[in-house]
Amino acid sequence: QHYFIQSNLRMSRGRSNLDSKRVSSELFTLTYGCMVAQLLKDYDNPDEVNKQLDKMGYNIGVRLIEDFLAHSPSTKRCTQLEEAADVIAKQGFRMFLGTVPEIKNWSDAKDEFSIILTENPLAEFVELPPTCTDSLWYSNIICGVLRGALEMIQMEVKVWFLQDTLRGSETTEIRVKFVKILEDSLPAGED
């Protein structure tokens, strides 16, 4: 067993007023934990699991942006990284993970920033085994989601974890670095 996952789900038969959002959130968290555990069994290499989580996240992000925009019709198109960071923190994380991180540590050029998560819902019931604490970024799927979603609004970025509470750090910090604006282009052979 790669992970010790403990649930605080309390679903008694006589209780009809369950908080469905809380149950859904906990079910998602537990399902995610099972998926990461299975990836560790399949690949037996935390670095490869990190790559797979990023890849999965990217595929989710390119689709999730449509859902986000459909549920946020008043959100204007972000043309600057600062605008995108603000929308990601105040709307995106709240909508999909139920938490609002802080945006901090901007570079002087305003092309790089950190997302500080005081709460990481994906890691809520997780304790990493000692063999993974130095190499597995358990919530690396978030990096892929951010990369995929920002690519869909024509921003190429690099996204990576700097620190994680699951690895003993005080906070969870994700770094986002702007690479370039992607030009709209037609597929090869189309004019």
Side-chain angles (χ1 to χ4, degrees):
Q1 185 71 21
H2 286 284
Y3 287 92
F4 170 70
I5 302 174
Q6 176 183 4
S7 173
N8 291 328
L9 283 174
R10 291 181 183 87
M11 293 189 257
S12 64
R13 291 181 188 211
R15 190 171 161 195
S16 61
N17 62 346
L18 284 174
D19 181 359
S20 64
K21 281 190 175 192
R22 180 73 181 154
V23 170
S24 294
S25 170
E26 289 184 358
L27 181 61
F28 173 73
T29 300
L30 294 171
T31 304
Y32 181 77
C34 291
M35 181 190 70
V36 174
Q38 186 62 50
L39 285 170
L40 277 169
K41 286 179 186 175
D42 292 348
Y43 291 97
D44 199 34
N45 177 344
D47 292 328
E48 185 59 33
V49 172
N50 291 335
K51 290 176 189 172
Q52 292 301 316
L53 290 171
D54 182 75
K55 187 176 176 180
M56 291 169 141
Y58 175 84
N59 290 329
I60 291 168
V62 297
R63 289 167 181 82
L64 205 58
I65 190 73
E66 293 174 19
D67 189 51
F68 172 78
L69 294 172
H71 287 90
S72 307
S74 63
T75 301
K76 296 177 183 160
R77 182 179 172 98
C78 297
T79 57
Q80 301 293 318
L81 188 61
E82 289 178 272
E83 295 171 322
D86 191 54
V87 171
I88 288 167
K90 293 180 180 169
Q91 296 176 31
F93 270 86
R94 186 180 68 225
M95 181 182 291
F96 295 110
L97 290 176
T99 187
V100 179
E102 293 180 70
I103 302 296
K104 289 184 166 182
N105 306 326
W106 279 96
S107 65
D108 291 339
K110 298 291 186 194
D111 65 346
E112 195 171 333
F113 64 92
S114 290
I115 298 171
I116 309 295
L117 289 166
T118 53
E119 294 178 35
N120 180 356
L122 293 179
E124 199 169 323
F125 308 113
V126 177
E127 181 179 312
L128 293 179
T131 57
C132 294
T133 56
D134 291 337
S135 53
L136 179 67
W137 294 107
Y138 180 81
S139 301
N140 209 45
I141 200 166
I142 295 172
C143 294
V145 168
L146 292 168
R147 197 169 50 83
L150 287 168
E151 188 173 300
M152 292 295 96
I153 61 166
Q154 275 60 51
M155 288 188 189
E156 183 180 334
V157 295
K158 291 183 180 178
V159 186
W160 66 96
F161 270 88
L162 283 180
Q163 54 184 339
D164 191 348
T165 55
L166 289 176
R167 289 179 158 199
S169 300
E170 293 286 322
T171 61
T172 297
E173 181 176 358
I174 300 170
R175 195 77 180 154
V176 178
K177 178 167 181 45
F178 176 78
V179 176
K180 67 180 180 181
I181 293 288
L182 299 170
E183 299 296 323
D184 286 328
S185 61
L186 294 172
E190 293 186 23
D191 292 327

